[in-house]
Amino acid sequence: MREKVARDDLGSGVGELAAEPDTVDDFEGLYERYRLQIYRTIRGIVLDGPAAEDLTQETFERAFKARSKQRTESSPAAWLHRIAVNTSISHLRRQKLARLLPVRMFTGEGLSDFDQAEQRSLATRALAALSPKLRAVVVLNYYQGMTRDEIARTLGIPPGTVASRLGAALESMRRALAETEQERASGRLNRERTW
Amino acid sequence: MKRTVADPEWGEMIRSELDSYVPERLPARFVPRVSRRHRVPRVGWRPLAVALAVIMLGFVFATVAGGPESFYRSVTQINQSRNVTPVPTSTPTPSPEKTPKVGRSPIPSNHPRSGSLSPAAPPPAPVAPASAPTPALSTLQTPAPPRHHRAPTPAPTPTPSRQLCLLGIICLNTS
């Protein structure tokens, strides 16, 4: 049911919203309509709840500042998703950079990516196996229901690149899932042996 | 297309996963930070603060350099220079009394202050004040005969502290 509501929020497609010329003028309405969608998209890319909330705020702040430029584009949804994806990827880049800093040696390591992934569900684990760019394409395709052309327009990349990224992402997710299955099987086997 | 065990319905899986996420502290209404910032009326505090800081620095410097008397003298001179010459920018003529020792010399209490330029007061030493004398001022000052020994009351000399004070006043006026 929640899924149905989410789909209805988005409309049948991103292009449908192009028929609403005054959507950006009513920015509060835009926020109310898309905040959940944007939050979940970002959450699917960064895989971190609190960070996703901050990045959602940042996305709408950026959108608000650049709302005069949006008039030239076709759809507010595509425009917002483009900002959201760029914000998320920038955030992940910053995080990656922060991980390389030597201060981490003094603060101590937290859970490794693998350990964190262990605690996640199957879908999150599959997404965690992808690079941020692949994750963005997967979320826009499988969650937002965008076509390849829509994703290409949203991210500003050629449709061929979208297709290749989707193919690579599927391959990685399959592999991640297969590894998970193997680990589970070997874990079960070990437990049986100890008994 | 045949699906393997490790190739589930990705769309269904990802959708059900992401739809289960509900933000906890994401506000229901959007309040832009930009508009919040614009709502506050902008006051030109910065030049005012700089001018005040310069004035305070000048006073502190004057006090430290010459003691309370020097401070009082600085204030008196600033007041007079504001009344007589609105924009004192001319460079002072070099005089032997420009040395810091002279500026710090004690002033007798029964003698009028060095900065006072009243007609009743005895003519000061022929040293140009910090600012260029206006015609009105020059009429009041009669040229004194040259003396070999120093006068007991030193003429107002443009010490750095006074210049700082004047600069502060100018800044304040312009701001």
Side-chain angles (χ1 to χ4, degrees), chain B:
Chain B
M1 186 179 155
K2 194 189 168 193
R3 292 183 189 281
T4 59
V5 182
D7 192 11
E9 183 65 53
W10 289 111
E12 196 66 31
M13 219 168 83
I14 290 169
R15 237 176 281 141
S16 63
E17 175 82 15
L18 292 183
D19 279 339
S20 67
Y21 296 140
V22 179
E24 287 167 6
R25 52 189 178 85
L26 198 66
R29 287 190 66 194
F30 178 70
V31 184
R33 272 179 233 149
V34 180
S35 68
R36 252 181 274 150
R37 213 178 294 146
H38 280 299
R39 249 179 262 153
V40 181
R42 288 191 175 183
V43 185
W45 289 111
R46 201 171 288 173
L48 211 69
V50 169
L52 276 173
V54 167
I55 289 168
M56 292 301 291
L57 202 72
F59 282 156
V60 167
F61 189 68
T63 312
V64 170
E69 276 191 349
S70 175
F71 175 74
Y72 181 75
R73 210 165 52 227
S74 310
V75 172
T76 318
Q77 185 161 3
I78 285 163
N79 282 335
Q80 280 170 1
S81 65
R82 279 192 79 183
N83 293 334
V84 177
T85 55
V87 186
T89 52
S90 67
T91 53
T93 54
S95 69
E97 295 177 7
K98 204 182 170 183
T99 54
K101 271 187 182 176
V102 176
R104 264 184 261 142
S105 65
I107 304 161
S109 57
N110 57 351
H111 206 276
R113 296 279 170 197
S114 61
S116 64
L117 295 169
S118 61
V127 176
S131 58
T134 55
L137 186 64
S138 61
T139 53
L140 295 174
Q141 289 177 338
T142 53
R147 293 174 192 171
H148 292 291
H149 60 275
R150 219 166 4 98
T153 51
T157 51
T159 56
S161 59
R162 282 181 196 142
Q163 280 180 345
L164 266 175
C165 290
L166 289 172
L167 190 70
I169 293 291
I170 291 163
C171 284
L172 195 65
N173 284 336
T174 51
S175 67

Side-chain angles (χ1 to χ4, degrees), chain A residues 2 28 31 53 121 124 143, chain B residues 17 19-20 24-25 27 29:
Chain A
R2 199 193 297 153
E28 269 192 36
Y31 176 79
E53 290 186 16
S121 72
T124 314
Y143 180 63
Chain B
E17 175 82 15
D19 279 339
S20 67
E24 287 167 6
R25 52 189 178 85
R29 287 190 66 194

Side-chain angles (χ1 to χ4, degrees), chain A residues 27 60-69, chain B residues 34 37:
Chain A
F27 200 84
F60 278 99
E61 284 287 341
R62 283 187 186 188
F64 185 75
K65 280 178 194 166
R67 66 192 185 283
S68 57
K69 293 176 194 165
Chain B
V34 180
R37 213 178 294 146

